Amino acid sequence: MTTDVIAPARTLRAGFVGGGFMAAVHSRAARAARAELAGGASSSARSARDAVGRLGLDAAFDSVEALVADPDIDVIHVCTPNATHAPIARAALEAGKHVICEKPLATSVADAAALADLAAERGLVAAVPFVYRFHPMAREARARIAHGDIGRLVSVHGAYLQDWLATPHDDDWRVDASLGGPSRAFADIGSHLVDLVEFVSGDRIVRLNASTRTVYERRATNVDIATEDLVAVVVQLGSGAVGTLLVSQVAPGHKNALSIELSGTDATVRFEQERPEQLWVGRADGASVIDRDAGRLAPDAARLALVPAGHPMGYQDAFNAFVADAYAAIGGVSPEGLPRFDDGLRAVRVTEAVLASAASGAWVEVAE
């Protein structure tokens, strides 16, 4: 795997489906990667025109079908409600387009597996933005664990806490299972937590026992809500390490508190997304905080550190790095750690296991 980001040989033409927050993040990242922002489509021609104006795209397409069919567009970014991801991504792949699809890749394992197979069959780059992998200090944690610095992994602890749905007045389309899928909190943010734990540790969750709770069954506009507000999971990894994961969208005071802590026989490392410039390292005789400084980091972490130490980098920087790597892959190279549709399928499989365990109250094996 290369540790250098190499720009595609020619300027890529990118199309965007959707016009909300994630479409704005994707378009900024595409612009930073020097793609041509060829156009956008949305739920209607009017919505597409509005999105094109706000995002600075070249043209509005009257339909998703028209965007996908445009022979001049190379890559499609799917930034729409969860239940629409699979059909749009499938159409784009069948049209020969590379795809960057928001997570969850699909709302069922069958659909996610079919997409991963189709992308492999067509030889197309198909990526899912598990972008927290692209924080330099997350990569530094991964490098230290791979090097053996923490010893044998014995436990993991992770959490992803938010408060944007903390009151019954808070509402969103994701609450509706017909749009967001059968899982909300875990599919939406728990997928990021699982991906980061497995990516950084180099290990996989093999068994889990989960409990879910819907705190508010009625919100401002949605009623009879079945999707979960929070999830607690006990996990066992392939190495024998054990751990806990807590995911909540109803944790007052927490905006985007994604954190992972991995303990080995010799040391512990802790990464917090809200403090992405640092990595905490603990040992029995004391603890230290490692600051992001490219000259002192592992090569794969250093290549993501684009500005000097002390100049903060954040979420959009991580997203920009992800899109740059995806575009580099389209150009024929193999960037280290690019999350592809197989990783999206993995997240859907873990989500399905969580729901099955919560429903049965039993331990569930996670399929590979």
Side-chain angles (χ1 to χ4, degrees):
M1 295 290 186
T2 182
T3 57
D4 297 318
V5 176
I6 302 172
R10 64 180 181 83
T11 300
L12 292 175
R13 287 174 55 85
F16 301 83
V17 186
F21 166 72
M22 289 315 308
V25 174
H26 279 248
S27 64
R28 286 194 293 266
R31 186 175 288 109
R34 291 176 288 183
E36 184 177 338
L37 278 57
S42 192
S43 56
S44 68
R46 180 177 179 179
S47 295
R49 289 192 296 271
D50 175 69
V52 163
R54 286 186 292 103
L55 303 180
L57 311 183
D58 289 347
F61 287 76
D62 288 343
S63 68
V64 175
E65 292 79 10
L67 175 68
V68 168
D70 189 315
D72 293 328
I73 290 180
D74 303 297
V75 55
I76 301 288
H77 291 249
V78 182
C79 314
T80 56
N82 302 350
T84 67
H85 290 176
I88 296 172
R90 184 183 307 111
L93 291 170
E94 289 175 345
K97 311 297 187 187
H98 304 285
V99 179
I100 296 177
C101 181
E102 266 302 322
K103 48 85 200 130
L105 177 58
T107 57
S108 74
V109 168
D111 284 346
L115 288 173
D117 289 344
L118 180 58
E121 174 188 312
R122 298 296 176 93
L124 295 165
V125 173
V128 178
F130 289 123
V131 298
Y132 300 112
R133 294 183 177 197
F134 289 83
H135 284 294
M137 300 313 287
R139 294 289 177 114
E140 179 67 14
R142 181 175 185 253
R144 288 174 180 242
I145 291 171
H147 190 257
D149 289 1
I150 73 167
R152 177 170 55 88
L153 183 67
V154 294
S155 69
V156 300
H157 170 68
Y160 202 154
L161 309 177
Q162 298 178 333
D163 68 359
W164 66 286
L165 290 172
T167 79
H169 304 291
D170 299 320
D171 213 338
D172 187 77
W173 61 261
R174 293 171 178 82
V175 170
D176 183 349
S178 68
L179 295 174
S183 171
R184 178 179 14 113
F186 201 85
D188 186 24
I189 58 176
S191 57
H192 277 298
L193 176 58
V194 168
D195 181 77
L196 195 61
V197 166
E198 293 191 338
F199 179 71
V200 171
S201 70
D203 208 347
R204 303 271 266 191
I205 296 170
V206 295
R207 299 176 69 235
L208 59 81
N209 196 316
S211 178
T212 66
R213 185 179 175 193
T214 303
V215 177
Y216 299 114
E217 296 180 355
R218 176 184 294 269
R219 290 183 176 272
T221 58
N222 284 283
V223 298
D224 298 325
I225 297 168
T227 55
E228 78 281 357
D229 289 311
L230 59 89
V231 186
V233 191
V234 180
V235 299
Q236 180 180 327
L237 282 68
S239 64
V242 296
T244 60
L245 307 176
L246 180 63
V247 175
S248 176
Q249 293 175 325
V250 292
H254 289 288
K255 302 306 176 187
N256 201 56
L258 168 61
S259 62
I260 60 169
E261 186 169 300
L262 302 101
S263 295
T265 50
D266 298 327
T268 296
V269 293
R270 179 179 178 84
F271 172 76
E272 300 180 28
Q273 192 275 154
E274 291 185 332
R275 297 175 178 81
E277 295 290 275
Q278 298 180 327
L279 182 69
W280 184 88
V281 179
R283 300 183 183 274
D285 60 355
S288 60
V289 174
I290 311 300
D291 291 315
R292 179 185 59 78
D293 184 344
R296 294 176 171 82
L297 300 181
D300 192 43
R303 67 106 177 173
L304 296 172
L306 301 183
V307 296
H311 297 73
M313 295 179 63
Y315 172 75
Q316 186 69 56
D317 295 295
F319 213 106
N320 290 1
F322 157 73
V323 169
D325 274 10
Y327 288 1
I330 293 171
V333 298
S334 300
E336 175 69 16
L338 177 66
R340 298 177 183 258
F341 272 19
D342 283 343
D343 299 294
L345 169 59
R346 170 67 181 172
V348 178
R349 281 183 168 147
V350 176
T351 300
E352 184 178 79
V354 164
L355 294 182
S357 176
S360 67
W363 283 85
V364 170
E365 307 287 330
V366 180
E368 279 295 330

